[in-house]
Amino acid sequence: MKTATGTTVIRNGQLILGTGAAAIPDGVVVVCDGRIDYAGPAQGAPAVAPERTIDARGGTVMPGLVEAHFHPTYFNVAALEDLDIKYPVEYVTLLAACNAKLALECGYTAARSGGSLFNIDVWLKKAIENDLAPGPRLAASGREICGVGGLMDWNPDFRKIGMEGLVLLVNGADEARAAVRRLVKDGVEWVKTYPTGDAAAPDTNDHHTLCMTFDEMHAVVATAHNHGLKVTGHCRATQGIKNALRAGYDCVEHGTFMDDEALDLLLRRDVPCVPALQFEWASVEYGPQFGMGQRVIDGHKETLEAGAESARRILRAGGRLGMGGDYGFAWTPHGTYAKELTFFVNSVGLSPLETIACATKTGAEIMGRGDEFGTLEPGKLADVLVVDGDVVKDIAVLEDRSRFLAVMQGGVVKAGRLAHQAG
Ligand SMILES: [Zn+2]
């Protein structure tokens, strides 16, 4: 991805560094050749002769957001079948490109895929890196791995539909190894697995069910780590979380039913967790109008309450949370990603600055790129948002993409009201 050339100064706004530190009331950011040279109080700013000045108009200047659980190929999903057989891969590829563009317009300058149909996110990432298509800097996951008969194996055999586009179904450690080896060839960075079920499948794979054995999970980790890939998994059931942490997972998605032992295992290796809670709230709230059964809704309610409690405990104990949320369902459409942040402030009890640090610094760390972006610090890529409004007072300002004056990647204004004048 190309970076800007020359010097840009952003002034006249409060500065949020993304480190969790208090906002700097009158801040200045100096960007030189796409990287941050200075980010701090206006009175300490170096004297430069910029090619370009951006007036934040008394709003907020902050790091670009990182969606830590992004499904670029999900689109208006209302039933499990919508995830695999609704559209042909050609159309889903185009939808994914649209979703990536939308995410960037919403202030998400980076995203980690939480799984994708076929290998679309791998190639989408290449297109974005080569400036062929706009979108967040991506970490790709490609197809997911799940045990046969588990959460992601929903098409009955009589339909004679394989699941090879969405998920690699495995029986035993050998097949788990073989699946990871296919993903290595595909070029993914993260291996996404399904250690547990979910409230969405109450009959055979509910949120207290295991969908992979420890042996399968351990084989996934050993093979992935050997090839330099990281491993994460959909972890709701307590035992599934523990299995993941003991098997050596690098991240835990959801981390819903976390007891003391699971929390201890998580903290000991400082493994980040991406709770994705707004989806649960929206499922409870809007489920009935999408024909969701009462058992499913009750399961989401239980998931929401336990998930919120686990998230609070993780952060209060010094652990790391990423902000991302499975957006792309009919009741959580693409473009509403920042509702996750509002939910964590209003309903989980995190402060706006804590939430923003999770959504920027921790997100970049989860992507393995914490030294490149995620905070406004000298030397980092200038992935910067200039927002019309005070996001500390009202985090929900970030939900409204018309409030972005500038969404910058590497110092280039890619979206926001100033994008047309950017040249
Ligand atoms: Zn997901």
Side-chain angles (χ1 to χ4, degrees), residues 187-203:
V188 309
E189 298 152 87
W190 279 87
V191 176
K192 164 78 181 294
T193 64
Y194 278 85
T196 78
D198 194 276
D203 291 332

Side-chain angles (χ1 to χ4, degrees), residues 69-71 74 113-115 144 152 192 194 234 236 253-254 276 325-327 329:
H69 189 123
F70 183 54
H71 289 292
Y74 285 16
S113 168
E144 306 169 333
M152 300 300 274
K192 164 78 181 294
Y194 278 85
H234 174 98
R236 301 232 181 258
E253 307 306 301
H254 312 307
D326 267 326
Y327 289 87
F329 284 78

Side-chain angles (χ1 to χ4, degrees), residues 16-23 345 350-358 392 395:
I16 296 174
L17 299 177
T19 58
V345 171
L350 271 61
S351 77
L353 287 167
E354 280 176 331
T355 306
I356 288 170
C358 293
V392 180
I395 190 92

